Structures are given as structure tokens and as C-alpha cells.
Amino acid sequence: MEDLISVVVPVYNVENYVKECLDSILVQSYSNLQIIIVNDGSTDQSGIICEEYAKKDSRVEYVYQKNKGLSAARNKGISCAKGEFICFVDSDDYVHKKYVECLYYGMINNNADMSMCGYIRDGFFVEKKDNNIKCNIYDGKEMMRNFYSFDVLFMNVAWNKLYRKKAFLNERFPEGMLYEDFALNARIMYSCNRIAICDQELYFYRRNRQGITLSSFSEKQLDALKQIENRMLYFKEIGEESIYRRFLQEFVIVNLRLFYLTKRFLKKKSLEKQLRSSYKNYFFPAISAKENSLVAKFYMLLGLFFPYFMGYITSIWDK
């Protein structure tokens, strides 16, 4: 009998997208699913739509909670999961019909601890003539040591991954924060002996969206820096100095972008001062790290003297 896989779908005010999302999960070629919809206090028609899906398909379980954010909704889904494997689909995205199948067999056939797939950003799926699942196998520790050899979004997010449920025995998404995937995924991936990366793009990520995951710039966006710092300091604490030094570069560059956005949109001197202080704290370790390129070091040096301009440049690149 095929293993049960739990698919956690956090939902918040996505009435325009949630049907497409749920339809794409219900037609998966791998059908032994527990589909857990966690309505995180939606105030639109999302909840009513989801309840209708629960009535139509016995695999769908509908859970309601007061609005607590994406992390809390995912954590609720984890606590309800009955499968030995868990994946997460954001309710304003959708997935290819072989999303679960490829992730599952990519993991099982390669005796892996985690599997990952590619994603489409605001595009469309392209069917490949070769339907065979091809995976590259990586050691989790080596992936962390070569983090920037991969697409950063691909590495950071939860929605393109299939986890073994045991990965969450001592892990939960940090509640009340944005960018909740960053540090958690790094810790889990580091603990994996084998990670299978499927060669197919199976997840449709809607970049320009609203709902649980994206909003206009606010002070909460500074959570990104905190999560990068948490991830960075974790590796320092366990003695992985090389990984720690690699993440220093991302910290200072993201800091510049957030400084520019804070100064432009929030105009809060206290936050600007806080960002400049943290930049200076990590500037010298970052610029002296042998793992960082000369180009990156020059960029960081300019950021020390021209933070607003360099932050503006970074924000353009980020688009």
C-alpha cells in the first residue's frame, strides 16, 4: 500500500486563488493524500469555499483557527498530519499534477531524507517529453556549504519540498514572524544525509499576490534580517564557521536593501539606526571572510559609506 502523504494548505483571504490551488491538489497522480486546509481566520469567502471541498472529497480535512499567521497555520497542519511525509502548498499557488508523485518517488527511490523540485514564477508549466523522474543527490551539509550555488528562493522556501514527518519532531515554524522558512529549512537540510533534487519544475509560485505570504512593505519585512541572522548564528554555534561566514554576505546585503526601503517608506529614524548598527556589527567579519568574493566585499565596502544608494541598487536587483 502506498504511504500516506499529508499536504498542508494554509489559507487566508485568497478567495480568488484557492479553488485553483485545491483543484490542482485533488487531481494529483499520487492519490493517497491527507489534504489539511487550515483556515487562518479568513474574512472573505475562502472559508466557505474550503468547507465545500471538504464535503466533496473525504481526503480533505478543514480546520479553522483565529488569525495567527502563516507559521501558526503550518504548525497546526503539522500537528494534524497523519502521514509519514509532509509537504506544504500555499493557497494562492498551485501545483503540477505530478508534484507529489515526483517528490515522493524521488525520495523513496533514492533513499533520501528530503526531496525538492523546481518552480515556475508567474509563468506556466511546460510538459517534458521524458516522463522519467531524474534526481540529483546531495549531502545536506554540502548543500549548506555551497548554499549560493543554488537559487536562494529554491533553498529557503517550504513549498517545493517533501519532508519526512520525523523532521518536525523538534522543529516548528517560528510564529509571529515573516520569512519563517529561512532558518528552519537550513537546520533540517543540514541534518539530511541525502537530499533528492528532481529535475522538473512542479510548483507554480505566484509572485505578485496577496494573502498570508506577501504584503506591502512594513516593519515586519525586517523579519527577513532576523531570520537570516538566526540561520547564520545557528551554524556558528555548532562550529560550522565556514557556513556562518558565507551567510554573513547575505546578511549585510539584505540589510542594505531593508535600510533603503525603511528610509524611503517608513521614515523611522530608530529603525534606520538599528539597521546601520547591525550592518556595522557584521561588516568586518563579512569583509574579512575568505569565502566571500572580492566583488561582494567591494559592494559591502560601498554600503558602509553609501548605504542608501547601495540599498537602492540591491532593491533593483531583487526585482
Side-chain angles (χ1 to χ4, degrees):
M1 184 177 177
E2 291 181 322
D3 289 308
L4 178 66
I5 297 176
S6 298
V7 183
V8 178
V9 186
V11 171
Y12 179 72
N13 289 355
V14 285
E15 59 184 7
N16 293 328
Y17 303 115
V18 69
K19 287 184 179 181
E20 186 174 25
C21 173
L22 295 176
D23 285 342
S24 73
I25 298 171
L26 292 177
V27 298
Q28 288 293 297
S29 56
Y30 188 99
S31 59
N32 193 21
L33 305 175
Q34 175 198 19
I35 303 166
I36 306 166
I37 301 173
V38 182
N39 180 3
D40 188 46
S42 296
T43 56
D44 64 0
Q45 297 298 305
S46 297
I48 295 172
I49 294 169
C50 292
E51 286 183 289
E52 288 301 314
Y53 275 84
K55 293 174 183 177
K56 292 190 293 185
D57 194 310
S58 61
R59 297 175 299 169
V60 178
E61 299 179 16
Y62 176 77
V63 179
Y64 176 85
Q65 67 177 25
K66 291 182 179 180
N67 180 244
K68 298 179 181 178
L70 176 59
S71 289
R74 284 177 173 170
N75 289 339
K76 183 66 174 179
I78 292 169
S79 67
C80 294
K82 299 171 185 174
E84 289 302 311
F85 303 88
I86 300 177
C87 61
F88 302 91
V89 178
D90 287 348
S91 52
D92 36 12
D93 298 333
Y94 62 91
V95 292
H96 189 279
K97 63 184 177 182
K98 291 190 176 181
Y99 166 75
V100 174
E101 177 187 342
C102 290
L103 286 174
Y104 173 70
Y105 286 110
M107 182 187 289
I108 296 301
N109 293 344
N110 294 287
N111 192 30
D113 304 298
M114 173 191 282
S115 59
M116 305 166 63
C117 69
Y119 65 93
I120 303 290
R121 191 197 307 247
D122 294 330
F124 53 90
F125 292 122
V126 177
E127 295 291 342
K128 292 187 176 182
K129 294 180 180 179
D130 185 359
N131 290 321
N132 294 325
I133 303 170
K134 296 183 177 66
C135 294
N136 293 314
I137 308 301
Y138 296 87
D139 174 82
K141 293 179 176 59
E142 285 305 310
M143 285 189 74
M144 286 296 103
R145 293 181 184 120
N146 297 283
F147 188 90
Y148 298 109
S149 298
F150 301 89
D151 175 90
V152 173
L153 183 65
F154 171 84
M155 294 288 279
N156 278 333
V157 297
W159 39 251
N160 67 333
K161 299 173 177 65
L162 180 66
Y163 305 83
R164 292 186 184 271
K165 186 179 179 180
K166 64 182 181 182
F168 293 99
L169 285 176
N170 298 306
E171 290 281 6
R172 287 295 187 273
F173 292 96
E175 298 188 12
M177 298 188 75
L178 300 181
Y179 306 98
E180 62 291 325
D181 322 63
F182 287 15
L184 177 142
N185 270 324
R187 293 192 299 269
I188 292 179
M189 291 171 69
Y190 181 81
S191 71
C192 294
N193 292 319
R194 292 170 64 84
I195 297 176
I197 299 184
C198 304
D199 68 343
Q200 299 188 39
E201 297 167 327
L202 303 169
Y203 191 97
F204 183 97
Y205 167 62
R206 214 182 298 269
R207 180 179 173 87
N208 298 313
R209 59 189 180 175
Q210 294 180 340
I212 281 186
T213 50
L214 290 188
S215 60
S216 58
F217 185 77
S218 69
E219 188 172 336
K220 287 296 293 178
Q221 302 295 323
L222 302 184
D223 287 350
L225 205 60
K226 185 62 177 176
Q227 287 298 323
I228 293 170
E229 185 177 34
N230 288 343
R231 181 181 64 190
M232 187 172 72
L233 293 178
Y234 167 76
F235 288 107
K236 185 176 184 179
E237 289 169 4
I238 64 174
E240 282 283 6
E241 289 288 337
S242 177
I243 300 177
Y244 162 73
R245 290 193 296 267
R246 288 185 186 279
F247 286 137
L248 282 168
Q249 175 180 320
E250 183 180 7
F251 180 90
V252 295
I253 290 177
V254 171
N255 182 295
L256 287 174
R257 178 171 63 85
L258 292 174
F259 176 80
Y260 162 74
L261 294 171
T262 298
K263 191 174 182 66
R264 180 179 176 186
F265 295 110
L266 302 184
K267 296 178 172 58
K268 287 188 176 182
K269 293 294 184 182
S270 60
L271 292 178
E272 294 171 25
K273 185 177 180 180
Q274 177 185 324
L275 286 165
R276 292 309 293 155
S277 176
S278 63
Y279 186 91
K280 292 174 182 177
N281 284 342
Y282 287 113
F283 169 76
F284 288 107
I287 205 167
S288 61
K290 62 182 181 180
E291 289 81 3
N292 296 331
S293 68
L294 288 175
V295 173
K297 291 178 180 180
F298 181 66
Y299 187 95
M300 289 185 274
L301 182 62
L302 290 175
L304 185 65
F305 297 102
F306 310 103
Y308 187 79
F309 175 72
M310 297 309 294
Y312 167 71
I313 298 298
T314 305
S315 68
I316 293 175
W317 286 348
D318 188 58
K319 293 178 182 178

